Amino acid sequence: PAASDDAPSPALPSLIGFDRDDLAATLAAMGEPGFRARQVWHWIYHRGATDFAAMTTLAKDLRSRLATAFTLQRPRVASELRSSDRSRKWLLAFEDGNQAETVFIPEEDRGALCMSSQVGCTLTCAFCHTGTQRLVRNLSAGEIIGQLMLARDSYGEWPTPSGERLLSNIVMMGMGEPLYNYDNVAKALRIAMDPEGIAISRRRITLSTSGVVPLIRRVGEELAVKLAISLHAVTDELRDELVPINRKYPIAELLQACRDYPAADNARRITFEYVMLKGINDSPADARALARLVAGIPCKFNLIPFNPWPGAAFACSDEATMAAFAAILNNAGYTAPVRTPRGRDIMAACGQLRSASLRASRSRRPLDVAGVPGQTTAGETRSENTAAESA
Ligand code: SAH
Ligand code: SF4
Protein backbone atom coordinates (compact mmCIF):
# COMPACT_ATOMS: atom_id res chain seq x y z
CA PRO A 1 0.00 0.00 0.00
CA ALA A 2 1.67 3.18 -1.21
CA ALA A 3 1.16 6.17 1.03
CA SER A 4 0.65 9.57 -0.56
CA ASP A 5 3.53 11.98 -0.18
CA ASP A 6 2.07 14.09 2.59
CA ALA A 7 0.61 11.28 4.72
CA PRO A 8 2.91 9.78 7.35
CA SER A 9 4.01 6.45 5.93
CA PRO A 10 2.39 3.59 7.85
CA ALA A 11 4.55 0.72 9.08
CA LEU A 12 4.86 -1.87 6.36
CA PRO A 13 3.24 -5.24 7.05
CA SER A 14 5.51 -8.21 7.68
CA LEU A 15 5.22 -11.32 5.52
CA ILE A 16 5.90 -13.44 8.63
CA GLY A 17 2.65 -15.30 9.27
CA PHE A 18 1.59 -15.36 5.60
CA ASP A 19 0.69 -18.92 4.63
CA ARG A 20 1.01 -20.38 1.12
CA ASP A 21 -2.39 -19.02 0.08
CA ASP A 22 -1.61 -15.54 1.38
CA LEU A 23 1.70 -15.48 -0.48
CA ALA A 24 0.07 -16.76 -3.68
CA ALA A 25 -2.58 -14.04 -3.52
CA THR A 26 0.01 -11.36 -2.74
CA LEU A 27 2.33 -12.30 -5.58
CA ALA A 28 -0.53 -12.73 -8.03
CA ALA A 29 -1.68 -9.22 -7.15
CA MET A 30 1.84 -8.04 -7.98
CA GLY A 31 1.47 -9.62 -11.42
CA GLU A 32 3.86 -12.51 -10.74
CA PRO A 33 3.49 -16.08 -12.03
CA GLY A 34 2.28 -18.84 -9.72
CA PHE A 35 5.64 -20.38 -8.88
CA ARG A 36 6.94 -17.19 -7.26
CA ALA A 37 4.94 -17.78 -4.10
CA ARG A 38 6.76 -21.06 -3.61
CA GLN A 39 10.12 -19.37 -4.04
CA VAL A 40 9.28 -16.66 -1.55
CA TRP A 41 7.92 -19.28 0.87
CA HIS A 42 11.23 -21.13 0.63
CA TRP A 43 13.22 -18.00 1.43
CA ILE A 44 11.05 -17.03 4.37
CA TYR A 45 10.37 -20.35 6.09
CA HIS A 46 13.18 -22.64 4.92
CA ARG A 47 16.09 -20.22 4.67
CA GLY A 48 14.90 -17.78 7.32
CA ALA A 49 15.72 -14.74 5.18
CA THR A 50 15.50 -11.47 7.07
CA ASP A 51 16.14 -9.32 4.01
CA PHE A 52 14.52 -9.38 0.55
CA ALA A 53 17.91 -8.60 -0.97
CA ALA A 54 19.03 -12.12 0.03
CA MET A 55 16.34 -13.73 -2.15
CA THR A 56 18.69 -14.30 -5.05
CA THR A 57 16.39 -16.57 -7.03
CA LEU A 58 14.06 -13.60 -7.55
CA ALA A 59 14.67 -10.83 -10.07
CA LYS A 60 16.18 -7.70 -8.51
CA ASP A 61 13.14 -5.72 -9.54
CA LEU A 62 10.77 -8.05 -7.67
CA ARG A 63 13.00 -8.00 -4.59
CA SER A 64 12.86 -4.24 -4.45
CA ARG A 65 9.12 -4.13 -5.11
CA LEU A 66 8.62 -6.56 -2.21
CA ALA A 67 10.84 -4.44 0.00
CA THR A 68 8.80 -1.31 -0.64
CA ALA A 69 5.55 -3.06 0.34
CA PHE A 70 6.56 -5.52 3.07
CA THR A 71 9.09 -6.41 5.72
CA LEU A 72 10.32 -9.74 7.12
CA GLN A 73 10.13 -8.40 10.65
CA ARG A 74 9.83 -10.83 13.57
CA PRO A 75 8.22 -9.70 16.84
CA ARG A 76 10.48 -7.12 18.49
CA VAL A 77 12.55 -8.54 21.35
CA ALA A 78 12.50 -6.25 24.39
CA SER A 79 14.96 -8.52 26.16
CA GLU A 80 16.66 -11.86 25.71
CA LEU A 81 17.72 -13.72 28.83
CA ARG A 82 20.25 -16.53 28.66
CA SER A 83 20.34 -19.07 31.44
CA SER A 84 23.45 -20.87 32.61
CA ASP A 85 21.67 -24.10 31.56
CA ARG A 86 21.39 -22.85 27.92
CA SER A 87 17.68 -22.04 28.27
CA ARG A 88 16.75 -18.77 26.65
CA LYS A 89 13.80 -16.53 27.22
CA TRP A 90 12.55 -13.68 25.09
CA LEU A 91 10.27 -10.92 26.22
CA LEU A 92 8.45 -9.73 23.13
CA ALA A 93 7.17 -6.22 22.62
CA PHE A 94 4.49 -5.90 19.95
CA GLU A 95 3.64 -2.83 17.88
CA ASP A 96 0.80 -1.86 20.22
CA GLY A 97 2.97 -1.96 23.34
CA ASN A 98 1.66 -5.35 24.46
CA GLN A 99 4.05 -8.02 25.61
CA ALA A 100 4.30 -11.77 25.69
CA GLU A 101 7.07 -14.27 26.15
CA THR A 102 8.73 -17.30 24.63
CA VAL A 103 11.03 -19.77 26.35
CA PHE A 104 13.39 -22.35 24.91
CA ILE A 105 14.31 -25.32 27.09
CA PRO A 106 17.11 -27.44 25.62
CA GLU A 107 17.48 -31.10 26.49
CA GLU A 108 20.04 -33.77 25.62
CA ASP A 109 19.03 -34.58 22.07
CA ARG A 110 16.28 -32.04 21.44
CA GLY A 111 14.70 -28.89 22.77
CA ALA A 112 11.23 -27.47 23.17
CA LEU A 113 10.17 -23.94 22.45
CA CYS A 114 7.31 -22.84 24.69
CA MET A 115 5.25 -20.34 22.71
CA SER A 116 2.52 -17.91 23.74
CA SER A 117 -0.83 -17.66 21.99
CA GLN A 118 -2.26 -14.56 23.67
CA VAL A 119 -1.19 -11.53 25.64
CA GLY A 120 -2.55 -12.45 29.06
CA CYS A 121 -5.48 -14.86 29.29
CA THR A 122 -9.24 -14.40 29.68
CA LEU A 123 -9.39 -17.43 31.95
CA THR A 124 -8.49 -17.03 35.58
CA CYS A 125 -7.01 -20.25 36.89
CA ALA A 126 -6.40 -19.64 40.58
CA PHE A 127 -2.71 -20.65 40.60
CA CYS A 128 -1.70 -19.00 37.31
CA HIS A 129 -0.15 -15.58 37.19
CA THR A 130 -1.01 -15.05 33.53
CA GLY A 131 -4.67 -15.20 34.52
CA THR A 132 -4.24 -12.21 36.83
CA GLN A 133 -3.11 -10.00 33.98
CA ARG A 134 -5.74 -7.54 32.99
CA LEU A 135 -4.75 -7.02 29.41
CA VAL A 136 -5.74 -9.65 26.93
CA ARG A 137 -5.52 -9.87 23.19
CA ASN A 138 -5.02 -12.64 20.68
CA LEU A 139 -1.66 -12.89 18.99
CA SER A 140 -1.75 -12.94 15.21
CA ALA A 141 -0.46 -15.95 13.27
CA GLY A 142 2.64 -13.90 12.47
CA GLU A 143 3.23 -13.04 16.10
CA ILE A 144 2.95 -16.74 16.97
CA ILE A 145 5.15 -18.25 14.24
CA GLY A 146 7.45 -15.23 14.64
CA GLN A 147 8.36 -16.52 18.10
CA LEU A 148 9.76 -19.68 16.57
CA MET A 149 11.56 -17.76 13.86
CA LEU A 150 13.29 -15.40 16.24
CA ALA A 151 14.35 -18.35 18.40
CA ARG A 152 15.88 -19.91 15.30
CA ASP A 153 17.54 -16.57 14.52
CA SER A 154 18.96 -16.50 18.03
CA TYR A 155 20.49 -19.98 17.77
CA GLY A 156 21.45 -19.49 14.13
CA GLU A 157 19.42 -22.52 13.08
CA TRP A 158 18.74 -21.62 9.44
CA PRO A 159 18.18 -23.01 6.89
CA THR A 160 15.94 -25.71 8.37
CA PRO A 161 18.37 -28.54 9.24
CA SER A 162 17.59 -31.82 7.48
CA GLY A 163 18.58 -33.96 10.46
CA GLU A 164 19.28 -33.22 14.11
CA ARG A 165 18.38 -29.84 15.42
CA LEU A 166 18.30 -27.93 18.65
CA LEU A 167 14.85 -26.40 18.19
CA SER A 168 13.08 -29.68 17.56
CA ASN A 169 9.80 -29.37 19.45
CA ILE A 170 7.04 -26.84 20.03
CA VAL A 171 4.80 -26.67 23.08
CA MET A 172 1.90 -24.24 23.08
CA MET A 173 2.21 -23.72 26.84
CA GLY A 174 3.20 -20.09 27.16
CA MET A 175 0.82 -17.28 27.90
CA GLY A 176 -2.80 -17.61 26.89
CA GLU A 177 -5.36 -20.27 26.06
CA PRO A 178 -4.52 -21.45 22.53
CA LEU A 179 -8.03 -22.71 21.84
CA TYR A 180 -9.46 -19.25 22.48
CA ASN A 181 -7.33 -18.12 19.55
CA TYR A 182 -7.86 -21.21 17.43
CA ASP A 183 -7.65 -19.74 13.93
CA ASN A 184 -4.36 -17.93 14.43
CA VAL A 185 -2.81 -20.81 16.37
CA ALA A 186 -3.89 -23.29 13.68
CA LYS A 187 -2.49 -21.10 10.92
CA ALA A 188 0.84 -20.68 12.73
CA LEU A 189 1.12 -24.41 13.44
CA ARG A 190 0.34 -25.30 9.83
CA ILE A 191 3.15 -23.02 8.75
CA ALA A 192 5.45 -24.68 11.31
CA MET A 193 4.53 -28.19 10.11
CA ASP A 194 4.96 -27.60 6.38
CA PRO A 195 7.74 -29.98 5.29
CA GLU A 196 9.13 -27.43 2.82
CA GLY A 197 9.53 -24.75 5.44
CA ILE A 198 10.20 -24.86 9.16
CA ALA A 199 9.30 -28.55 8.98
CA ILE A 200 8.53 -29.46 12.58
CA SER A 201 6.50 -32.64 12.48
CA ARG A 202 3.07 -32.75 14.14
CA ARG A 203 4.47 -35.44 16.43
CA ARG A 204 6.80 -32.84 17.89
CA ILE A 205 4.12 -30.26 18.57
CA THR A 206 2.04 -30.26 21.76
CA LEU A 207 -0.93 -28.00 22.32
CA SER A 208 -1.95 -27.44 25.93
CA THR A 209 -5.50 -26.47 26.81
CA SER A 210 -7.30 -25.79 30.04
CA GLY A 211 -10.23 -27.68 28.52
CA VAL A 212 -12.06 -25.89 25.71
CA VAL A 213 -14.02 -29.07 25.02
CA PRO A 214 -15.83 -28.10 21.79
CA LEU A 215 -12.54 -27.40 19.98
CA ILE A 216 -10.56 -30.44 21.10
CA ARG A 217 -11.89 -32.69 18.35
CA ARG A 218 -11.05 -30.07 15.74
CA VAL A 219 -7.46 -29.94 16.95
CA GLY A 220 -7.24 -33.69 16.43
CA GLU A 221 -8.90 -33.69 13.04
CA GLU A 222 -7.39 -30.57 11.53
CA LEU A 223 -3.95 -30.36 13.12
CA ALA A 224 -3.40 -33.84 14.63
CA VAL A 225 -0.80 -32.47 17.02
CA LYS A 226 -0.26 -33.91 20.49
CA LEU A 227 -2.65 -32.82 23.16
CA ALA A 228 -1.94 -31.76 26.73
CA ILE A 229 -4.77 -31.14 29.17
CA SER A 230 -4.42 -28.97 32.26
CA LEU A 231 -6.38 -31.21 34.59
CA HIS A 232 -5.08 -30.25 38.06
CA ALA A 233 -7.97 -31.73 40.07
CA VAL A 234 -9.98 -34.94 40.29
CA THR A 235 -13.34 -33.54 41.43
CA ASP A 236 -15.52 -30.92 39.77
CA GLU A 237 -15.83 -29.21 43.11
CA LEU A 238 -12.11 -28.48 43.30
CA ARG A 239 -11.56 -28.03 39.57
CA ASP A 240 -14.34 -25.43 39.45
CA GLU A 241 -12.19 -23.38 41.81
CA LEU A 242 -8.75 -24.03 40.33
CA VAL A 243 -9.64 -24.03 36.62
CA PRO A 244 -12.87 -22.02 36.28
CA ILE A 245 -13.56 -23.15 32.69
CA ASN A 246 -14.54 -26.41 34.42
CA ARG A 247 -17.87 -24.81 35.33
CA LYS A 248 -18.64 -24.71 31.63
CA TYR A 249 -17.00 -27.99 30.61
CA PRO A 250 -16.79 -30.32 33.60
CA ILE A 251 -14.33 -33.18 34.03
CA ALA A 252 -16.55 -35.90 32.55
CA GLU A 253 -17.03 -33.95 29.30
CA LEU A 254 -13.36 -33.11 29.14
CA LEU A 255 -12.30 -36.72 29.56
CA GLN A 256 -14.83 -37.83 26.98
CA ALA A 257 -13.25 -35.38 24.51
CA CYS A 258 -9.90 -37.00 25.34
CA ARG A 259 -11.29 -40.49 24.76
CA ASP A 260 -12.60 -39.27 21.38
CA TYR A 261 -9.43 -37.41 20.42
CA PRO A 262 -8.67 -38.65 16.93
CA ALA A 263 -4.91 -38.14 17.10
CA ALA A 264 -4.24 -40.08 20.31
CA ASP A 265 -2.87 -43.61 20.44
CA ASN A 266 -0.14 -45.37 22.34
CA ALA A 267 2.57 -43.63 20.38
CA ARG A 268 0.93 -40.24 20.82
CA ARG A 269 -0.44 -40.28 24.32
CA ILE A 270 -2.32 -37.38 25.80
CA THR A 271 -0.45 -35.58 28.57
CA PHE A 272 -2.37 -34.65 31.67
CA GLU A 273 -0.75 -31.70 33.39
CA TYR A 274 -1.21 -31.58 37.12
CA VAL A 275 0.13 -28.69 39.17
CA MET A 276 1.21 -29.79 42.64
CA LEU A 277 -0.47 -27.57 45.23
CA LYS A 278 0.40 -28.24 48.85
CA GLY A 279 -2.55 -29.59 50.83
CA ILE A 280 -4.97 -28.87 47.96
CA ASN A 281 -4.74 -31.61 45.34
CA ASP A 282 -1.69 -33.66 46.34
CA SER A 283 -2.93 -36.46 48.64
CA PRO A 284 -2.45 -40.18 47.93
CA ALA A 285 -6.25 -40.41 47.59
CA ASP A 286 -6.10 -37.74 44.85
CA ALA A 287 -3.43 -39.75 43.05
CA ARG A 288 -5.47 -42.93 43.19
CA ALA A 289 -8.59 -41.12 42.00
CA LEU A 290 -6.58 -39.62 39.15
CA ALA A 291 -5.44 -43.03 37.96
CA ARG A 292 -9.03 -44.29 38.01
CA LEU A 293 -10.36 -41.23 36.23
CA VAL A 294 -8.18 -41.58 33.13
CA ALA A 295 -8.54 -45.34 32.77
CA GLY A 296 -8.77 -46.28 29.11
CA ILE A 297 -7.17 -43.08 27.76
CA PRO A 298 -3.71 -43.52 26.22
CA CYS A 299 -2.00 -40.99 28.44
CA LYS A 300 0.83 -39.93 30.70
CA PHE A 301 1.16 -37.31 33.40
CA ASN A 302 3.26 -34.26 33.82
CA LEU A 303 3.46 -33.29 37.48
CA ILE A 304 4.32 -29.61 37.65
CA PRO A 305 5.73 -28.21 40.90
CA PHE A 306 3.70 -25.08 41.60
CA ASN A 307 5.68 -22.01 40.67
CA PRO A 308 4.97 -19.38 43.31
CA TRP A 309 4.35 -15.73 42.51
CA PRO A 310 3.83 -12.77 44.83
CA GLY A 311 0.35 -12.82 46.30
CA ALA A 312 -0.42 -16.40 45.24
CA ALA A 313 -2.65 -18.28 47.66
CA PHE A 314 -0.80 -21.57 47.15
CA ALA A 315 2.44 -23.27 48.00
CA CYS A 316 4.22 -26.07 46.16
CA SER A 317 3.84 -29.59 47.54
CA ASP A 318 6.82 -31.04 49.40
CA GLU A 319 9.31 -33.16 47.48
CA ALA A 320 8.31 -36.29 49.39
CA THR A 321 4.60 -35.68 48.72
CA MET A 322 5.26 -35.24 45.01
CA ALA A 323 7.40 -38.38 44.91
CA ALA A 324 4.67 -40.38 46.65
CA PHE A 325 2.04 -38.99 44.27
CA ALA A 326 4.18 -39.93 41.27
CA ALA A 327 4.81 -43.42 42.69
CA ILE A 328 1.08 -44.14 42.93
CA LEU A 329 0.61 -43.18 39.28
CA ASN A 330 3.66 -45.21 38.26
CA ASN A 331 2.34 -48.26 40.10
CA ALA A 332 -0.94 -47.85 38.24
CA GLY A 333 1.07 -48.07 35.00
CA TYR A 334 1.47 -44.41 34.07
CA THR A 335 4.52 -42.35 33.28
CA ALA A 336 4.41 -39.42 35.69
CA PRO A 337 7.61 -37.41 35.91
CA VAL A 338 7.80 -34.47 38.28
CA ARG A 339 8.90 -31.78 35.86
CA THR A 340 12.25 -30.42 36.98
CA PRO A 341 12.32 -26.65 36.93
CA ARG A 342 14.68 -25.33 34.27
CA GLY A 343 16.01 -21.88 33.67
CA ARG A 344 15.22 -20.83 37.24
CA ASP A 345 17.82 -18.07 37.00
CA ILE A 346 15.93 -16.42 34.14
CA MET A 347 12.48 -17.14 35.58
CA ALA A 348 11.63 -19.40 32.66
CA ALA A 349 8.17 -20.26 33.92
CA CYS A 350 4.70 -19.33 32.75
CA GLY A 351 3.97 -15.64 32.86
CA GLN A 352 6.80 -14.73 35.17
CA LEU A 353 8.96 -12.41 33.14
CA ARG A 354 6.16 -10.26 31.83
CA SER A 355 4.65 -10.20 35.28
CA ALA A 356 7.92 -8.92 36.68
CA SER A 357 7.99 -6.09 34.16
CA LEU A 358 4.34 -5.26 34.79
CA ARG A 359 4.96 -5.11 38.52
CA ALA A 360 7.83 -2.73 37.96
CA SER A 361 5.76 -0.44 35.77
CA ARG A 362 2.83 -0.65 38.18
CA SER A 363 4.89 0.47 41.11
CA ARG A 364 6.27 3.35 39.11
CA ARG A 365 3.10 4.46 37.37
CA PRO A 366 0.13 2.78 39.04
CA LEU A 367 -2.45 3.93 36.47
CA ASP A 368 -0.60 3.03 33.32
CA VAL A 369 -0.35 -0.69 32.98
CA ALA A 370 -1.57 -0.76 29.41
CA GLY A 371 1.08 0.54 27.07
CA VAL A 372 4.12 -0.63 29.01
CA PRO A 373 6.84 1.26 27.19
CA GLY A 374 9.96 -0.57 26.14
CA GLN A 375 12.11 1.53 28.46
CA THR A 376 10.51 0.36 31.67
CA THR A 377 10.61 -3.22 30.57
CA ALA A 378 14.12 -3.10 29.30
CA GLY A 379 15.31 -1.51 32.54
CA GLU A 380 13.66 -4.16 34.64
CA THR A 381 14.77 -7.09 32.59
CA ARG A 382 18.27 -5.79 32.10
CA SER A 383 18.85 -6.09 35.79
CA GLU A 384 17.46 -9.63 35.70
CA ASN A 385 19.75 -10.33 32.81
CA THR A 386 22.77 -9.22 34.75
CA ALA A 387 21.69 -11.40 37.64
CA ALA A 388 21.33 -14.34 35.27
CA GLU A 389 24.72 -13.81 33.74
CA SER A 390 26.53 -13.45 37.01
CA ALA A 391 24.77 -16.50 38.45
N1 SAH B 1 -3.64 -21.97 28.84
C1 SAH B 1 -3.13 -23.23 28.54
C2 SAH B 1 -1.66 -23.26 28.18
C3 SAH B 1 -0.73 -22.36 28.98
S1 SAH B 1 -0.41 -22.76 30.67
C4 SAH B 1 -3.40 -24.19 29.68
O1 SAH B 1 -3.82 -23.74 30.73
O2 SAH B 1 -3.21 -25.37 29.49
C5 SAH B 1 0.73 -24.12 30.62
C6 SAH B 1 0.70 -24.97 31.91
O3 SAH B 1 1.29 -24.27 33.03
C7 SAH B 1 -0.73 -25.29 32.34
O4 SAH B 1 -0.84 -26.63 32.70
C8 SAH B 1 -0.91 -24.39 33.52
O5 SAH B 1 -1.93 -24.87 34.33
C9 SAH B 1 0.45 -24.40 34.15
N2 SAH B 1 0.68 -23.31 35.11
C10 SAH B 1 0.19 -22.07 35.11
N3 SAH B 1 0.62 -21.38 36.18
C11 SAH B 1 1.44 -22.19 36.88
C12 SAH B 1 2.22 -22.04 38.08
N4 SAH B 1 2.23 -20.89 38.75
N5 SAH B 1 2.95 -23.09 38.51
C13 SAH B 1 2.95 -24.24 37.79
N6 SAH B 1 2.24 -24.44 36.66
C14 SAH B 1 1.49 -23.43 36.20
FE1 SF4 C 1 -5.01 -19.12 31.14
FE2 SF4 C 1 -3.73 -21.49 31.11
FE3 SF4 C 1 -3.17 -19.62 32.97
FE4 SF4 C 1 -5.49 -20.91 33.05
S1 SF4 C 1 -3.43 -21.84 33.29
S2 SF4 C 1 -5.20 -18.71 33.31
S3 SF4 C 1 -5.96 -21.15 30.88
S4 SF4 C 1 -2.81 -19.45 30.77
Side-chain angles (χ1 to χ4, degrees), residues 182 215-225 261-263:
Y182 182 83
L215 286 175
I216 289 177
R217 172 173 282 276
R218 259 184 93 185
V219 174
E221 282 171 355
E222 296 176 5
L223 303 173
V225 296
Y261 190 67

Side-chain angles (χ1 to χ4, degrees), residues 151-366:
R152 276 214 177 154
D153 294 346
S154 176
Y155 285 96
E157 201 158 67
W158 295 112
T160 299
S162 50
E164 294 260 298
R165 43 175 117 160
L166 193 59
L167 278 135
S168 59
N169 292 54
I170 295 175
V171 293
M172 294 302 300
M173 291 186 187
M175 296 171 66
E177 169 48 58
L179 298 190
Y180 276 179
N181 186 18
Y182 182 83
D183 291 344
N184 292 336
V185 167
K187 186 172 180 180
L189 292 183
R190 283 197 189 97
I191 292 173
M193 290 188 279
D194 191 300
E196 289 173 16
I198 292 165
I200 294 182
S201 130
R202 60 186 79 246
R203 278 174 218 87
R204 292 176 174 273
I205 299 177
T206 302
L207 184 147
S208 172
T209 179
S210 58
V212 185
V213 167
L215 286 175
I216 289 177
R217 172 173 282 276
R218 259 184 93 185
V219 174
E221 282 171 355
E222 296 176 5
L223 303 173
V225 296
K226 289 204 214 172
L227 186 66
I229 300 283
S230 295
L231 192 56
H232 306 319
V234 292
T235 64
D236 283 325
E237 195 188 4
L238 180 59
R239 196 163 188 271
D240 280 351
E241 295 307 315
L242 295 181
V243 187
I245 197 177
N246 194 69
R247 294 175 205 161
K248 206 165 178 186
Y249 309 114
I251 293 176
E253 286 179 30
L254 178 56
L255 294 181
Q256 193 54 48
C258 293
R259 291 199 171 84
D260 298 340
Y261 190 67
D265 52 39
N266 273 329
R268 290 168 301 164
R269 287 173 291 169
I270 292 174
T271 302
F272 288 108
E273 295 160 279
Y274 197 94
V275 62
M276 301 301 299
L277 303 171
K278 186 175 193 162
I280 304 284
N281 65 355
D282 61 352
S283 72
D286 287 320
R288 287 189 293 269
L290 192 52
R292 279 195 303 271
L293 209 52
V294 302
I297 302 175
C299 69
K300 59 188 172 184
F301 292 94
N302 199 352
L303 304 179
I304 316 173
F306 169 66
N307 215 318
W309 38 274
F314 302 99
C316 182
S317 310
D318 307 324
E319 299 272 342
T321 308
M322 294 194 284
F325 198 96
I328 292 170
L329 294 172
N330 292 155
N331 289 338
Y334 297 101
T335 310
V338 178
R339 197 201 275 171
T340 37
R342 298 287 308 275
R344 270 269 157 98
D345 53 348
I346 56 169
M347 301 204 294
C350 258
Q352 285 201 355
L353 176 54
R354 177 167 180 273
S355 306
S357 73
L358 279 182
R359 270 199 306 282
S361 67
R362 257 189 204 123
S363 60
R364 270 164 240 173
R365 291 167 301 109

